[in-house]
Amino acid sequence: MKKIMMTLAAVAVAATMNAQVWVGGEIGFTSEHQNGVGTENIFTIKPEIGYSLNEKFDVAIALGFSHASDKLNTKLGGNKFYANTFEINPYLRYKFVKAGNFFAFVDGGLNYATTHYKSVSDNENEFGFAIVPGIAYSVSNKVTLVSHLGEGLYYNHQWMKDTYRQNNFGFHLFNAISFGAYYNF
């Protein structure tokens, strides 16, 4: 039994030494003002951890949190509105073009999100998948800068208990560009 445990430990150490694990994510802030309507602010943080399977494929999981607040025009009878969203997004990354320190990739993954609105008893839920293109730049062996180029090709199903169900399908490039950074171990 002792030999088996030592062998398993040696295999685990060897696999970890050759593994390319990375951590990082994205942070974002959006503020939109519409004359006569009000202002909407959204803060997002989305940390992630990934594992490079080989030179072409990575697997990763991202956990996101967003806080949105709308200050609606009080002349129209509006008030302040809040929403908090939690999401989980496992995905597979395929790197298909490499030129120097730059590489292009496409992420294919699933997404589940739940949103709680102030003064609403039920949460809004969403489940879907997306294929999103991106580019990355390796600053060094340890640091990589990443950008996703829009929402890509996506489908999602949204629902709120006893209220509504909705399906969305689309293809958007460059409508929402995000930036992030990874630290490679």
Coordinates of all heavy atoms in Angstrom, one line a residue, residues 88-174:
I88 N -21.5 31.4 -13.5 CA -20.4 30.4 -13.6 C -20.3 30.0 -15.1 O -21.3 29.8 -15.8 CB -20.7 29.2 -12.7 CG1 -19.5 28.2 -12.7 CG2 -22.0 28.5 -13.0 CD1 -19.5 27.1 -11.6
N89 N -19.0 29.9 -15.5 CA -18.8 29.8 -17.0 C -17.6 28.8 -17.2 O -16.5 29.3 -17.4 CB -18.5 31.1 -17.6 CG -18.2 31.1 -19.0 OD1 -17.2 31.7 -19.4 ND2 -18.9 30.4 -19.9
P90 N -17.8 27.5 -17.3 CA -16.8 26.6 -17.7 C -16.6 26.6 -19.3 O -17.6 26.8 -20.0 CB -17.2 25.2 -17.3 CG -18.7 25.3 -17.3 CD -19.0 26.8 -17.0
Y91 N -15.3 26.6 -19.7 CA -15.1 26.7 -21.2 C -13.9 25.9 -21.6 O -13.0 25.6 -20.8 CB -15.1 28.1 -21.7 CG -14.0 28.9 -21.2 CD1 -12.8 29.0 -21.9 CD2 -14.1 29.7 -20.1 CE1 -11.7 29.7 -21.5 CE2 -13.0 30.5 -19.6 CZ -11.8 30.5 -20.3 OH -10.8 31.3 -19.9
L92 N -13.8 25.7 -22.9 CA -12.7 25.1 -23.6 C -12.2 26.1 -24.6 O -12.9 26.7 -25.3 CB -13.1 23.8 -24.4 CG -12.0 23.1 -25.2 CD1 -11.0 22.5 -24.3 CD2 -12.7 22.1 -26.1
R93 N -10.9 26.4 -24.6 CA -10.2 27.3 -25.5 C -9.4 26.6 -26.5 O -8.6 25.7 -26.2 CB -9.3 28.3 -24.7 CG -8.5 29.2 -25.6 CD -7.8 30.3 -24.8 NE -8.8 31.2 -24.3 CZ -8.6 32.0 -23.3 NH1 -7.5 32.1 -22.6 NH2 -9.6 32.8 -22.8
Y94 N -9.6 27.0 -27.8 CA -8.8 26.5 -28.9 C -8.0 27.6 -29.4 O -8.5 28.6 -29.9 CB -9.7 25.9 -29.9 CG -8.9 25.4 -31.2 CD1 -8.0 24.4 -31.1 CD2 -9.1 26.1 -32.4 CE1 -7.3 24.0 -32.2 CE2 -8.4 25.7 -33.5 CZ -7.5 24.6 -33.4 OH -6.8 24.2 -34.5
K95 N -6.6 27.5 -29.4 CA -5.7 28.5 -29.9 C -5.3 28.1 -31.4 O -4.8 27.0 -31.6 CB -4.5 28.6 -29.1 CG -4.8 29.0 -27.6 CD -3.6 29.0 -26.8 CE -3.6 27.8 -26.0 NZ -2.6 27.7 -24.9
F96 N -5.7 28.9 -32.3 CA -5.5 28.4 -33.7 C -4.5 29.2 -34.5 O -4.1 28.8 -35.6 CB -6.9 28.4 -34.4 CG -7.6 29.7 -34.5 CD1 -7.5 30.6 -35.6 CD2 -8.5 30.0 -33.5 CE1 -8.2 31.7 -35.6 CE2 -9.2 31.2 -33.5 CZ -9.0 32.1 -34.6
V97 N -4.1 30.4 -34.1 CA -3.1 31.2 -34.9 C -2.1 31.7 -33.9 O -2.5 32.3 -32.9 CB -3.7 32.4 -35.7 CG1 -2.7 33.2 -36.3 CG2 -4.7 31.8 -36.7
K98 N -0.8 31.6 -34.2 CA 0.2 32.1 -33.3 C 1.2 32.9 -34.2 O 1.7 32.4 -35.2 CB 0.9 31.0 -32.5 CG 2.0 31.6 -31.5 CD 2.4 30.5 -30.6 CE 3.5 30.9 -29.7 NZ 3.3 31.8 -28.7
A99 N 1.5 34.1 -33.8 CA 2.5 35.0 -34.5 C 3.3 35.7 -33.4 O 2.9 36.7 -32.8 CB 1.8 35.9 -35.4
G100 N 4.5 35.2 -33.2 CA 5.4 35.8 -32.2 C 4.7 35.6 -30.8 O 4.4 34.5 -30.4
N101 N 4.5 36.7 -30.1 CA 3.9 36.6 -28.7 C 2.4 36.7 -28.8 O 1.7 36.7 -27.8 CB 4.4 37.7 -27.8 CG 5.9 37.4 -27.4 OD1 6.4 36.3 -27.6 ND2 6.5 38.4 -26.9
F102 N 1.8 37.0 -30.0 CA 0.4 37.1 -30.2 C -0.2 35.7 -30.5 O 0.4 34.9 -31.2 CB 0.0 38.1 -31.3 CG 0.2 39.5 -30.9 CD1 1.3 40.1 -31.2 CD2 -0.8 40.2 -30.3 CE1 1.5 41.5 -30.9 CE2 -0.7 41.5 -29.9 CZ 0.5 42.2 -30.2
F103 N -1.5 35.5 -30.1 CA -2.2 34.3 -30.6 C -3.7 34.6 -30.6 O -4.2 35.4 -29.8 CB -1.9 33.0 -29.8 CG -2.2 33.0 -28.4 CD1 -3.5 32.6 -28.0 CD2 -1.3 33.3 -27.4 CE1 -3.8 32.5 -26.6 CE2 -1.6 33.3 -26.1 CZ -2.9 32.9 -25.7
A104 N -4.4 34.0 -31.6 CA -5.8 34.1 -31.6 C -6.4 32.8 -31.1 O -5.9 31.8 -31.2 CB -6.2 34.3 -33.1
F105 N -7.6 33.0 -30.5 CA -8.3 31.8 -29.9 C -9.8 31.9 -30.1 O -10.3 33.0 -30.4 CB -7.9 31.6 -28.5 CG -8.3 32.8 -27.6 CD1 -9.6 32.8 -27.0 CD2 -7.4 33.8 -27.3 CE1 -10.0 33.9 -26.2 CE2 -7.8 34.9 -26.5 CZ -9.1 34.9 -25.9
V106 N -10.5 30.9 -29.8 CA -11.9 30.8 -29.7 C -12.3 30.1 -28.4 O -11.7 29.0 -28.2 CB -12.6 30.3 -30.9 CG1 -12.2 28.8 -31.2 CG2 -14.1 30.5 -30.9
D107 N -13.1 30.6 -27.6 CA -13.6 30.0 -26.4 C -15.0 29.4 -26.6 O -15.9 30.2 -27.1 CB -13.7 31.0 -25.2 CG -12.3 31.4 -24.7 OD1 -11.3 30.8 -25.0 OD2 -12.3 32.4 -23.9
G108 N -15.2 28.2 -26.3 CA -16.6 27.6 -26.4 C -17.0 27.1 -25.0 O -16.2 26.3 -24.4
G109 N -18.1 27.6 -24.5 CA -18.4 27.2 -23.2 C -19.9 27.4 -22.8 O -20.7 27.8 -23.6
L110 N -20.2 26.9 -21.6 CA -21.5 27.0 -21.1 C -21.6 28.2 -20.1 O -20.6 28.6 -19.6 CB -21.9 25.7 -20.3 CG -21.8 24.4 -21.1 CD1 -22.0 23.2 -20.2 CD2 -22.9 24.5 -22.2
N111 N -22.8 28.6 -19.8 CA -23.0 29.7 -18.9 C -24.2 29.6 -18.1 O -25.3 29.2 -18.7 CB -23.0 31.1 -19.7 CG -23.1 32.3 -18.7 OD1 -22.2 32.4 -17.9 ND2 -24.1 33.1 -18.8
Y112 N -24.1 29.8 -16.8 CA -25.3 29.8 -16.0 C -25.2 31.1 -15.1 O -24.2 31.4 -14.5 CB -25.4 28.6 -15.0 CG -26.6 28.8 -14.0 CD1 -27.9 28.6 -14.5 CD2 -26.3 29.2 -12.7 CE1 -28.9 28.9 -13.6 CE2 -27.4 29.4 -11.9 CZ -28.7 29.3 -12.3 OH -29.7 29.5 -11.4
A113 N -26.3 31.8 -15.1 CA -26.3 33.1 -14.3 C -27.6 33.2 -13.6 O -28.7 32.8 -14.1 CB -26.1 34.3 -15.2
T114 N -27.6 33.8 -12.4 CA -28.8 34.1 -11.6 C -28.7 35.5 -11.2 O -27.6 36.0 -10.7 CB -29.0 33.1 -10.5 OG1 -30.3 33.4 -9.9 CG2 -27.9 33.1 -9.5
T115 N -29.8 36.3 -11.3 CA -29.8 37.7 -11.0 C -30.9 38.0 -10.0 O -32.0 37.5 -10.1 CB -30.1 38.6 -12.2 OG1 -29.0 38.3 -13.2 CG2 -30.1 40.0 -11.9
H116 N -30.5 38.6 -8.9 CA -31.5 39.1 -7.9 C -31.7 40.6 -8.0 O -30.8 41.3 -8.0 CB -31.0 38.7 -6.5 CG -31.9 39.2 -5.4 ND1 -33.1 38.6 -5.2 CD2 -31.8 40.3 -4.6 CE1 -33.7 39.3 -4.2 NE2 -32.9 40.3 -3.8
Y117 N -33.0 40.9 -8.2 CA -33.3 42.3 -8.3 C -33.9 42.8 -7.0 O -34.7 42.1 -6.3 CB -34.4 42.5 -9.4 CG -33.9 42.2 -10.8 CD1 -34.2 40.9 -11.3 CD2 -33.2 43.0 -11.5 CE1 -33.8 40.5 -12.5 CE2 -32.8 42.7 -12.8 CZ -33.1 41.4 -13.3 OH -32.6 41.1 -14.5
K118 N -33.5 44.1 -6.6 CA -34.1 44.7 -5.4 C -35.6 44.7 -5.5 O -36.2 45.1 -6.6 CB -33.5 46.1 -5.2 CG -34.1 46.8 -4.0 CD -33.6 48.2 -4.0 CE -34.3 49.0 -2.9 NZ -33.9 50.4 -3.0
S119 N -36.3 44.4 -4.5 CA -37.8 44.4 -4.4 C -38.5 43.4 -5.3 O -39.7 43.6 -5.5 CB -38.3 45.8 -4.7 OG -37.7 46.8 -3.8
V120 N -37.8 42.4 -5.8 CA -38.4 41.4 -6.6 C -38.2 40.1 -5.9 O -37.0 39.7 -5.5 CB -37.9 41.3 -8.0 CG1 -38.5 40.2 -8.8 CG2 -38.1 42.6 -8.7
S121 N -39.2 39.3 -5.6 CA -39.0 38.0 -4.8 C -38.3 36.9 -5.6 O -37.6 36.1 -5.0 CB -40.4 37.6 -4.3 OG -41.2 37.2 -5.4
D122 N -38.5 36.8 -6.9 CA -37.9 35.7 -7.7 C -36.7 36.2 -8.4 O -36.6 37.3 -8.9 CB -38.9 35.1 -8.7 CG -40.1 34.4 -8.1 OD1 -39.9 33.8 -7.0 OD2 -41.2 34.5 -8.6
N123 N -35.7 35.3 -8.5 CA -34.5 35.6 -9.3 C -34.7 35.3 -10.8 O -35.5 34.4 -11.1 CB -33.3 34.7 -8.8 CG -32.8 35.1 -7.5 OD1 -33.2 36.2 -6.9 ND2 -31.9 34.3 -6.9
E124 N -34.0 36.0 -11.6 CA -34.0 35.7 -13.0 C -32.8 34.8 -13.3 O -31.8 35.0 -12.7 CB -33.8 37.0 -13.9 CG -33.7 36.8 -15.3 CD -33.5 38.0 -16.1 OE1 -32.3 38.6 -16.0 OE2 -34.4 38.5 -16.8
N125 N -33.1 33.7 -14.0 CA -32.0 32.7 -14.3 C -31.8 32.7 -15.8 O -32.6 33.0 -16.6 CB -32.5 31.3 -13.8 CG -32.7 31.3 -12.3 OD1 -31.8 31.3 -11.6 ND2 -34.0 31.3 -11.9
E126 N -30.5 32.3 -16.1 CA -30.2 32.2 -17.5 C -29.2 31.0 -17.7 O -28.3 30.8 -16.9 CB -29.4 33.4 -18.0 CG -28.9 33.4 -19.4 CD -28.3 34.7 -19.7 OE1 -28.7 35.8 -19.3 OE2 -27.2 34.7 -20.4
F127 N -29.4 30.2 -18.7 CA -28.5 29.1 -19.1 C -28.3 29.2 -20.6 O -29.2 29.4 -21.4 CB -29.1 27.7 -18.7 CG -28.2 26.6 -19.1 CD1 -27.1 26.3 -18.3 CD2 -28.5 25.9 -20.3 CE1 -26.3 25.3 -18.7 CE2 -27.6 24.8 -20.6 CZ -26.5 24.5 -19.9
G128 N -27.1 29.0 -21.0 CA -26.8 29.0 -22.4 C -25.4 28.6 -22.8 O -24.6 28.1 -21.9
F129 N -25.0 28.8 -24.0 CA -23.7 28.5 -24.5 C -23.2 29.6 -25.4 O -24.1 30.3 -26.0 CB -23.6 27.1 -25.1 CG -24.3 27.0 -26.4 CD1 -23.8 27.4 -27.6 CD2 -25.7 26.6 -26.5 CE1 -24.5 27.3 -28.8 CE2 -26.4 26.5 -27.6 CZ -25.8 26.8 -28.8
A130 N -21.9 29.7 -25.6 CA -21.4 30.7 -26.5 C -20.1 30.3 -27.1 O -19.3 29.5 -26.5 CB -21.2 32.1 -25.8
I131 N -19.8 30.7 -28.3 CA -18.5 30.6 -28.9 C -17.9 32.0 -29.2 O -18.5 32.7 -30.0 CB -18.6 29.7 -30.2 CG1 -19.2 28.4 -29.9 CG2 -17.3 29.7 -30.9 CD1 -19.5 27.6 -31.1
V132 N -16.9 32.4 -28.5 CA -16.4 33.7 -28.5 C -15.0 33.8 -28.9 O -14.1 33.2 -28.4 CB -16.5 34.3 -27.1 CG1 -16.1 35.8 -27.1 CG2 -18.0 34.2 -26.5
P133 N -14.7 34.6 -30.0 CA -13.3 34.8 -30.4 C -12.5 35.8 -29.5 O -13.1 36.6 -28.8 CB -13.4 35.3 -31.8 CG -14.7 36.1 -31.8 CD -15.6 35.3 -30.8
G134 N -11.2 35.6 -29.6 CA -10.3 36.6 -28.8 C -8.9 36.5 -29.3 O -8.5 35.7 -30.2
I135 N -8.1 37.5 -28.7 CA -6.7 37.5 -29.0 C -6.0 37.7 -27.7 O -6.6 38.1 -26.7 CB -6.3 38.7 -30.0 CG1 -6.8 40.0 -29.4 CG2 -6.9 38.5 -31.4 CD1 -6.3 41.2 -30.2
A136 N -4.7 37.3 -27.7 CA -3.9 37.3 -26.5 C -2.5 37.7 -26.8 O -2.0 37.5 -28.0 CB -3.9 36.0 -25.7
Y137 N -1.8 38.3 -25.9 CA -0.4 38.7 -26.0 C 0.3 38.3 -24.8 O 0.0 38.6 -23.7 CB -0.3 40.2 -26.2 CG 1.1 40.7 -26.3 CD1 1.9 40.5 -27.5 CD2 1.7 41.3 -25.2 CE1 3.2 40.9 -27.6 CE2 3.1 41.7 -25.3 CZ 3.8 41.5 -26.5 OH 5.1 41.9 -26.6
S138 N 1.4 37.5 -25.0 CA 2.2 37.0 -23.9 C 3.3 38.0 -23.6 O 4.2 38.2 -24.4 CB 2.9 35.6 -24.3 OG 1.9 34.7 -24.4
V139 N 3.1 38.8 -22.5 CA 4.1 39.8 -22.1 C 5.4 39.1 -21.7 O 6.5 39.6 -22.0 CB 3.5 40.6 -21.0 CG1 4.5 41.7 -20.5 CG2 2.2 41.3 -21.4
S140 N 5.3 38.0 -21.0 CA 6.4 37.2 -20.6 C 5.9 35.7 -20.4 O 4.8 35.4 -20.8 CB 7.0 37.7 -19.2 OG 6.0 37.5 -18.2
N141 N 6.8 34.9 -19.9 CA 6.4 33.5 -19.7 C 5.3 33.4 -18.6 O 4.6 32.5 -18.5 CB 7.6 32.6 -19.3 CG 8.5 32.4 -20.4 OD1 8.1 32.5 -21.6 ND2 9.7 32.0 -20.1
K142 N 5.2 34.5 -17.7 CA 4.3 34.4 -16.6 C 3.1 35.3 -16.8 O 2.1 35.0 -16.1 CB 5.0 35.0 -15.3 CG 6.2 34.1 -14.9 CD 5.7 32.8 -14.3 CE 6.8 31.9 -13.8 NZ 6.3 30.6 -13.4
V143 N 3.1 36.3 -17.7 CA 1.9 37.2 -17.8 C 1.4 37.2 -19.2 O 2.2 37.3 -20.2 CB 2.3 38.6 -17.4 CG1 1.2 39.6 -17.6 CG2 2.8 38.7 -15.9
T144 N 0.1 37.1 -19.4 CA -0.6 37.1 -20.7 C -1.8 38.1 -20.6 O -2.5 38.0 -19.7 CB -1.1 35.7 -21.1 OG1 0.0 34.8 -21.1 CG2 -1.8 35.7 -22.4
L145 N -1.9 39.0 -21.6 CA -3.0 39.9 -21.7 C -4.0 39.3 -22.7 O -3.6 38.8 -23.7 CB -2.5 41.3 -22.2 CG -1.5 41.9 -21.3 CD1 -1.1 43.3 -21.9 CD2 -2.0 42.1 -19.9
V146 N -5.3 39.4 -22.4 CA -6.3 38.7 -23.2 C -7.4 39.7 -23.5 O -7.8 40.5 -22.7 CB -6.9 37.5 -22.4 CG1 -8.0 36.8 -23.1 CG2 -5.8 36.5 -22.0
S147 N -8.0 39.5 -24.7 CA -9.2 40.3 -25.1 C -10.2 39.5 -25.8 O -9.8 38.7 -26.7 CB -8.7 41.5 -26.0 OG -9.9 42.2 -26.4
H148 N -11.4 39.5 -25.3 CA -12.5 38.8 -26.0 C -13.2 39.9 -26.9 O -13.4 41.0 -26.5 CB -13.5 38.3 -25.0 CG -13.0 37.1 -24.3 ND1 -12.4 37.2 -23.1 CD2 -13.0 35.8 -24.6 CE1 -12.0 36.0 -22.7 NE2 -12.4 35.1 -23.6
L149 N -13.5 39.5 -28.2 CA -14.0 40.4 -29.2 C -15.5 40.3 -29.4 O -15.9 39.9 -30.5 CB -13.2 40.1 -30.5 CG -11.7 40.2 -30.3 CD1 -11.0 39.8 -31.6 CD2 -11.2 41.5 -29.8
G150 N -16.3 40.6 -28.5 CA -17.7 40.6 -28.6 C -18.4 39.4 -27.9 O -17.8 38.7 -27.1
E151 N -19.7 39.2 -28.2 CA -20.4 38.1 -27.6 C -20.3 36.8 -28.4 O -20.7 35.8 -27.9 CB -21.9 38.5 -27.4 CG -22.1 39.7 -26.5 CD -23.6 40.1 -26.5 OE1 -24.3 39.5 -25.7 OE2 -23.9 41.0 -27.2
G152 N -19.8 36.9 -29.6 CA -19.7 35.8 -30.5 C -21.0 35.2 -30.9 O -22.0 35.9 -31.0
L153 N -21.0 33.9 -31.1 CA -22.2 33.1 -31.5 C -22.8 32.6 -30.2 O -22.1 31.9 -29.5 CB -21.8 32.0 -32.5 CG -23.0 31.1 -32.9 CD1 -24.0 31.8 -33.7 CD2 -22.4 29.9 -33.7
Y154 N -24.0 32.9 -29.9 CA -24.6 32.5 -28.6 C -26.0 32.1 -28.7 O -26.8 32.5 -29.6 CB -24.4 33.6 -27.6 CG -25.2 34.8 -27.9 CD1 -26.5 34.9 -27.4 CD2 -24.7 35.8 -28.6 CE1 -27.2 36.1 -27.7 CE2 -25.4 36.9 -28.9 CZ -26.7 37.1 -28.5 OH -27.5 38.2 -28.8
Y155 N -26.4 31.3 -27.7 CA -27.8 31.0 -27.4 C -28.0 31.0 -25.9 O -27.1 30.5 -25.2 CB -28.2 29.6 -27.9 CG -29.5 29.1 -27.4 CD1 -30.7 29.5 -27.9 CD2 -29.5 28.2 -26.3 CE1 -31.9 29.1 -27.4 CE2 -30.8 27.8 -25.7 CZ -31.9 28.3 -26.3 OH -33.1 27.9 -25.8
N156 N -29.1 31.6 -25.4 CA -29.4 31.4 -24.0 C -30.9 31.4 -23.8 O -31.7 31.9 -24.6 CB -28.7 32.5 -23.1 CG -29.1 33.9 -23.5 OD1 -30.3 34.2 -23.6 ND2 -28.2 34.8 -23.6
H157 N -31.2 30.8 -22.7 CA -32.6 30.7 -22.2 C -32.7 31.4 -20.9 O -32.0 31.0 -20.0 CB -33.0 29.2 -22.1 CG -34.4 29.0 -21.6 ND1 -35.5 29.2 -22.3 CD2 -34.8 28.5 -20.3 CE1 -36.6 29.0 -21.5 NE2 -36.2 28.5 -20.4
Q158 N -33.6 32.4 -20.8 CA -33.8 33.1 -19.6 C -35.2 32.8 -19.0 O -36.2 32.6 -19.8 CB -33.7 34.6 -19.8 CG -32.4 35.1 -20.2 CD -32.4 36.5 -20.6 OE1 -33.2 37.0 -21.3 NE2 -31.4 37.3 -20.0
W159 N -35.3 32.8 -17.7 CA -36.6 32.5 -17.1 C -36.7 33.1 -15.7 O -35.7 33.3 -15.0 CB -37.0 31.1 -17.1 CG -36.2 30.2 -16.1 CD1 -36.6 29.9 -14.8 CD2 -34.9 29.6 -16.3 NE1 -35.6 29.2 -14.2 CE2 -34.6 29.0 -15.1 CE3 -34.0 29.6 -17.4 CZ2 -33.4 28.3 -14.9 CZ3 -32.8 28.9 -17.2 CH2 -32.5 28.3 -16.0
M160 N -37.9 33.5 -15.3 CA -38.2 33.9 -14.0 C -39.5 33.1 -13.6 O -40.4 33.1 -14.3 CB -38.4 35.4 -13.9 CG -38.6 35.9 -12.5 SD -38.7 37.7 -12.4 CE -37.0 38.2 -12.6
K161 N -39.4 32.4 -12.5 CA -40.5 31.5 -12.0 C -41.8 32.2 -12.1 O -42.0 33.4 -11.6 CB -40.2 31.1 -10.6 CG -41.2 30.2 -10.0 CD -40.9 29.9 -8.5 CE -42.0 29.1 -7.9 NZ -41.8 28.9 -6.5
D162 N -42.8 31.6 -12.8 CA -44.2 32.0 -12.9 C -44.3 33.4 -13.6 O -45.3 34.0 -13.5 CB -44.9 32.1 -11.5 CG -44.9 30.7 -10.9 OD1 -45.0 29.7 -11.6 OD2 -44.9 30.7 -9.6
T163 N -43.2 33.9 -14.2 CA -43.3 35.2 -14.9 C -43.1 35.2 -16.4 O -44.0 35.6 -17.1 CB -42.3 36.2 -14.2 OG1 -42.5 36.2 -12.8 CG2 -42.5 37.6 -14.7
Y164 N -42.0 34.7 -16.8 CA -41.7 34.6 -18.2 C -40.6 33.6 -18.5 O -39.8 33.2 -17.7 CB -41.3 36.0 -18.8 CG -39.9 36.4 -18.4 CD1 -38.8 36.2 -19.3 CD2 -39.6 37.1 -17.2 CE1 -37.6 36.5 -19.0 CE2 -38.3 37.5 -16.9 CZ -37.3 37.2 -17.8 OH -36.0 37.6 -17.5
R165 N -40.5 33.3 -19.8 CA -39.5 32.5 -20.4 C -39.1 33.1 -21.7 O -40.0 33.6 -22.4 CB -39.9 31.0 -20.6 CG -40.2 30.3 -19.3 CD -40.4 28.8 -19.6 NE -40.6 28.1 -18.4 CZ -39.8 27.8 -17.4 NH1 -38.5 28.1 -17.6 NH2 -40.1 27.1 -16.4
Q166 N -37.8 33.1 -22.0 CA -37.3 33.8 -23.2 C -36.1 33.1 -23.8 O -35.2 32.7 -23.0 CB -37.0 35.2 -22.8 CG -36.4 36.1 -23.9 CD -36.1 37.5 -23.4 OE1 -36.9 38.1 -22.7 NE2 -35.0 38.0 -23.8
N167 N -36.0 32.9 -25.1 CA -34.9 32.4 -25.7 C -34.2 33.4 -26.6 O -34.9 34.2 -27.3 CB -35.3 31.2 -26.6 CG -35.8 30.0 -25.8 OD1 -35.1 29.6 -24.9 ND2 -37.0 29.6 -26.1
N168 N -32.9 33.5 -26.6 CA -32.1 34.4 -27.4 C -31.0 33.7 -28.2 O -30.4 32.8 -27.6 CB -31.4 35.4 -26.5 CG -32.4 36.2 -25.6 OD1 -33.3 36.8 -26.1 ND2 -32.1 36.2 -24.3
F169 N -30.9 34.1 -29.4 CA -29.9 33.5 -30.3 C -29.3 34.7 -31.0 O -30.0 35.6 -31.5 CB -30.5 32.5 -31.2 CG -29.5 32.0 -32.2 CD1 -28.6 31.0 -31.9 CD2 -29.5 32.5 -33.5 CE1 -27.7 30.5 -32.8 CE2 -28.6 32.0 -34.4 CZ -27.6 31.0 -34.1
G170 N -27.9 34.7 -31.2 CA -27.3 35.8 -31.9 C -25.9 35.6 -32.2 O -25.3 34.6 -31.8
F171 N -25.4 36.6 -33.0 CA -24.0 36.6 -33.4 C -23.5 38.0 -33.4 O -24.0 38.8 -34.2 CB -23.8 35.9 -34.8 CG -22.4 35.9 -35.3 CD1 -21.4 35.1 -34.7 CD2 -22.0 36.8 -36.3 CE1 -20.1 35.1 -35.1 CE2 -20.6 36.8 -36.7 CZ -19.7 35.9 -36.1
H172 N -22.6 38.4 -32.5 CA -22.1 39.7 -32.4 C -20.6 39.7 -32.2 O -20.1 39.1 -31.4 CB -22.7 40.4 -31.1 CG -24.2 40.6 -31.1 ND1 -24.8 41.6 -31.8 CD2 -25.2 39.9 -30.6 CE1 -26.1 41.5 -31.7 NE2 -26.4 40.5 -30.9
L173 N -20.0 40.5 -33.1 CA -18.5 40.7 -33.0 C -18.3 42.2 -32.7 O -19.0 43.0 -33.3 CB -17.8 40.3 -34.3 CG -17.7 38.8 -34.5 CD1 -17.0 38.5 -35.8 CD2 -17.0 38.1 -33.4
F174 N -17.3 42.5 -31.9 CA -16.9 43.8 -31.6 C -18.0 44.7 -30.9 O -17.8 45.9 -30.9 CB -16.3 44.5 -32.8 CG -15.2 43.8 -33.4 CD1 -15.3 43.1 -34.6 CD2 -14.0 43.7 -32.8 CE1 -14.3 42.4 -35.2 CE2 -12.9 43.0 -33.4 CZ -13.1 42.3 -34.6

